Amino acid sequence: MGPKQNVHVAVVGAGLAGLRCADILLQHGFAVSIFEGRDRVGGRVHQTQLSNGHWVDLGPNWIHGTTGNVMLDLANETGTAVADIDQIPSAFDETGAKMTTADTIKYATIMWEMLEEAFEHSEKTGAEIDLKLSLFDFFKEKVPLRIPDGEPDAETKRKTLYQFCETWGAIIGSPVTRQSLRFLWLEECIDDENLYCAGTYKRILERVAKPVLDTAQISFNTTVQGITYKSNANDKVILRLQDGSTHEFDEVVVTTPLGWLQKNKHQAFEPPLPIPLMESIDAISYGCLEKVYISFAEAFWRPKEGQSEAETGFIQWLSPNYDPKLNPRQWLQEAVELSSLPGKDAHPTLLFYTYGEQSQWFTSELAKRPSKGERTQFITDFFRPYFSRLPNYAADSDACRPIDCVATEWLNDDLAGNGSYGNFQVGLEKGDKDIERMREGLPDQGLWFAGEHTAPFVALGTSTGAYWSGEAVGERIIEKYE
């Protein structure tokens, strides 16, 4: 195919989707202009450096599935270390007492087995499942079968198993009671294990961004206020920027997050988007998964001389009832400890995940505390009841006092759409069709959409999905001009 310098494409947003789309188009001779509201590329793929010198991801931490996953290929290509973190956690019961390894394995195994059954049920009979049913409703049906009435202390055991079931919320950024059972199958990812990106996404992002930064015209700190898409095939698409200037293009690819589309779909597009497309944008829910890193001078929870057990991988505090002041709702707490990461990527840090009401409350409290000291104190006070239950904790030990705290605030970030990651909640009628409608966009009118919310079904809500979605739109634009 000959060069396409006369075709000018605008890409709104320089996250993984926008960068990959731009790269594909540039390789085929298209002129590409990127408009990015931040002063950097990456969108939610972003890192910060802790005081211990280690970089941490503020966005995605994981590579979901290894079979044919381009993110794993990019990790290998860039020398980014990954780690297979055991899915069987250490767990503390609602009183704060450490559960035995045997009990933790038993409950976690049952939970994951029921989840597999739920995926199979959703995939095979989804169209017949009541819209109002949640994944938690499925668990309520199955738990009594797993722990029958005749079993000693059955009610207590069932309560504990339900608490393990709640941990699914930390995966989707929304409570398990809100997860649509009918569309649970859309949450199933690429085959094989989920790998923690131990070396962070930093070098992966640099690799994806380099050919674009070298070649494309990119405008940072530039937000798009409006898009007038084509009424006729020979029209141009017009972008109106925050400074009032307007620019014409042959095609426009919008890679803003789903939450941004939901908030701006009426005022950002002219003429108004077709009603079915607007309905699909609103139909898919937008999550609120947030992360909190707490670093220490040393990993005090690691085994000392003469001790055999160590806290590694996931740690969960189930429905804690011992912090009525800051956690009266008994929000589940879940963390990954990073001292057991491989080699030089290991550091004495706990990564907590929050979601749902806790994320909403937590980020609103952070917004009230502008100074680093205030925020550090608040984070330490909130999470101390949990990390203080780890082995070898002593309140008067310097090793057990946090030296750095970093928390994400995607819910306070307008450019992130005030949240993070699409998900599928109860009441959703045609989630797969809604994804397909957003994925299709309005190609005849020069308006395309990309992002984790338009990804292939096996990669929705993931960095891989965002990358693939941008690639797919780039290839479709190329095909249009062939």
Side-chain angles (χ1 to χ4, degrees):
M1 184 185 74
K4 296 292 188 295
Q5 287 95 340
N6 293 329
V7 180
H8 198 175
V9 181
V11 176
V12 181
L16 286 178
L19 292 170
R20 182 55 178 162
C21 182
D23 187 13
I24 289 286
L25 294 171
L26 290 165
Q27 289 179 39
H28 287 76
F30 288 77
V32 178
S33 295
I34 302 176
F35 299 92
E36 169 54 53
R38 304 183 191 276
D39 60 359
R40 57 173 178 79
V41 298
R44 286 200 306 271
V45 182
H46 186 48
Q47 298 78 35
T48 192
Q49 194 171 28
L50 300 176
S51 60
N52 61 17
H54 284 270
W55 290 89
V56 292
D57 280 311
L58 301 181
N61 295 117
W62 298 86
I63 295 174
H64 293 282
T66 57
T67 303
N69 193 327
V70 66
M71 282 300 136
L72 182 58
D73 295 337
L74 288 167
N76 292 334
E77 179 183 330
T78 58
T80 299
V82 297
D84 185 5
I85 295 178
D86 190 359
Q87 292 292 311
I88 300 298
S90 297
F92 295 81
D93 69 18
E94 62 182 21
T95 71
K98 177 72 179 295
M99 295 179 62
T100 66
T101 301
D103 279 347
T104 303
I105 291 174
K106 178 182 74 173
Y107 287 114
T109 299
I110 294 174
M111 187 274 285
W112 284 105
E113 288 175 352
M114 291 192 301
L115 189 59
E116 287 299 318
E117 293 176 17
F119 272 117
E120 185 176 354
H121 177 60
S122 175
E123 191 166 6
K124 288 184 177 179
T125 64
E128 304 167 13
I129 297 175
D130 191 316
L131 300 178
K132 298 188 295 294
L133 289 179
S134 70
L135 175 58
F136 194 68
D137 291 318
F138 183 87
F139 287 147
K140 287 193 295 185
E141 178 185 333
K142 298 298 181 181
V143 166
L145 301 178
R146 294 287 189 148
I147 304 176
D149 290 332
E151 188 167 326
D153 209 13
E155 282 304 311
T156 300
K157 292 177 180 177
R158 288 175 185 172
K159 182 180 180 181
T160 301
L161 183 52
Y162 283 128
Q163 291 169 348
F164 270 87
C165 292
E166 291 176 12
T167 63
W168 176 253
I171 295 177
I172 62 169
S174 184
V176 67
T177 53
R178 300 296 305 157
Q179 166 72 64
S180 167
L181 181 59
R182 175 183 282 204
F183 289 104
L184 177 64
W185 65 273
L186 287 175
E187 297 284 1
E188 195 157 25
C189 290
I190 297 167
D191 289 341
D192 296 324
E193 55 271 317
N194 294 320
L195 301 177
Y196 186 84
C197 195
T200 78
Y201 270 79
K202 191 172 188 297
R203 280 177 286 179
I204 294 174
L205 176 60
E206 290 170 353
R207 167 66 182 81
V208 175
K210 186 179 187 309
V212 179
L213 294 173
D214 288 348
T215 311
Q217 176 185 347
I218 183 164
S219 301
F220 290 108
N221 300 307
T222 303
T223 57
V224 174
Q225 299 294 303
I227 300 173
T228 302
Y229 58 91
K230 299 178 183 180
S231 298
N232 300 298
N234 294 327
D235 291 345
K236 298 288 187 179
V237 184
I238 301 172
L239 262 60
R240 177 169 52 84
L241 306 183
Q242 87 272 19
D243 62 3
S245 64
T246 58
H247 306 263
E248 294 186 347
F249 300 92
D250 298 290
E251 312 286 338
V252 171
V253 183
V254 178
T255 72
T256 55
L258 174 63
W260 188 94
L261 287 176
Q262 291 173 341
K263 289 176 175 291
N264 294 279
K265 62 184 180 298
H266 291 292
Q267 65 267 33
F269 298 97
E270 180 65 35
L273 295 174
I275 290 176
L277 178 55
M278 285 201 288
E279 290 175 343
S280 290
I281 289 171
D282 280 337
I284 306 304
S285 300
Y286 199 48
C288 48
L289 185 66
E290 302 281 357
K291 302 172 178 66
V292 180
Y293 292 91
I294 305 178
S295 284
F296 299 84
E298 61 183 77
F300 65 84
W301 54 89
R302 303 290 290 173
K304 307 297 182 184
E305 185 176 353
Q307 295 178 327
S308 57
E309 286 197 17
E311 303 290 345
T312 60
F314 283 96
I315 308 170
Q316 293 168 342
W317 295 263
L318 304 173
S319 192
N321 63 14
Y322 41 86
D323 188 16
K325 181 180 179 181
L326 289 178
N327 189 4
R329 295 179 179 269
Q330 297 183 224
W331 291 316
L332 160 82
Q333 304 302 320
E334 178 168 282
V336 177
E337 69 84 26
L338 306 183
S339 72
S340 57
L341 292 179
K344 61 182 178 59
D345 294 307
H347 54 108
T349 301
L350 297 172
L351 162 57
F352 285 87
Y353 291 96
T354 73
Y355 66 91
E357 287 184 346
Q358 179 178 343
S359 284
Q360 294 164 349
W361 174 81
F362 200 82
T363 52
S364 69
E365 290 296 316
L366 286 174
K368 301 173 186 176
R369 296 165 168 82
S371 75
K372 173 73 171 176
E374 288 178 305
R375 295 159 72 88
T376 297
Q377 188 62 55
F378 170 69
I379 292 169
T380 301
D381 289 345
F382 184 87
F383 287 102
R384 185 183 291 109
Y386 314 112
F387 65 71
S388 65
R389 279 165 168 76
L390 297 178
N392 308 311
Y393 177 83
D396 58 353
S397 169
D398 289 340
C400 302
R401 295 192 185 101
I403 60 171
D404 199 5
C405 298
V406 171
T408 63
E409 294 181 76
W410 299 119
L411 278 166
N412 296 334
D413 189 326
D414 290 339
L415 291 177
N418 304 103
S420 52
Y421 309 109
N423 58 53
F424 312 96
Q425 300 195 5
V426 290
L428 186 60
E429 296 183 31
K430 48 185 187 302
D432 51 344
K433 302 302 180 186
D434 292 319
I435 295 295
E436 289 171 345
R437 185 173 288 124
M438 289 190 288
R439 188 188 295 157
E440 175 64 19
L442 302 174
D444 292 338
Q445 285 79 48
L447 183 62
W448 313 74
F449 296 98
E452 48 92 4
H453 51 286
T454 69
F457 291 149
V458 294
L460 289 166
T462 69
S463 56
T464 303
Y467 182 96
W468 277 343
S469 73
E471 184 173 86
V473 168
E475 290 172 346
R476 288 171 62 202
I477 292 174
I478 293 166
E479 183 179 349
K480 177 177 178 177
Y481 284 89
E482 285 180 339

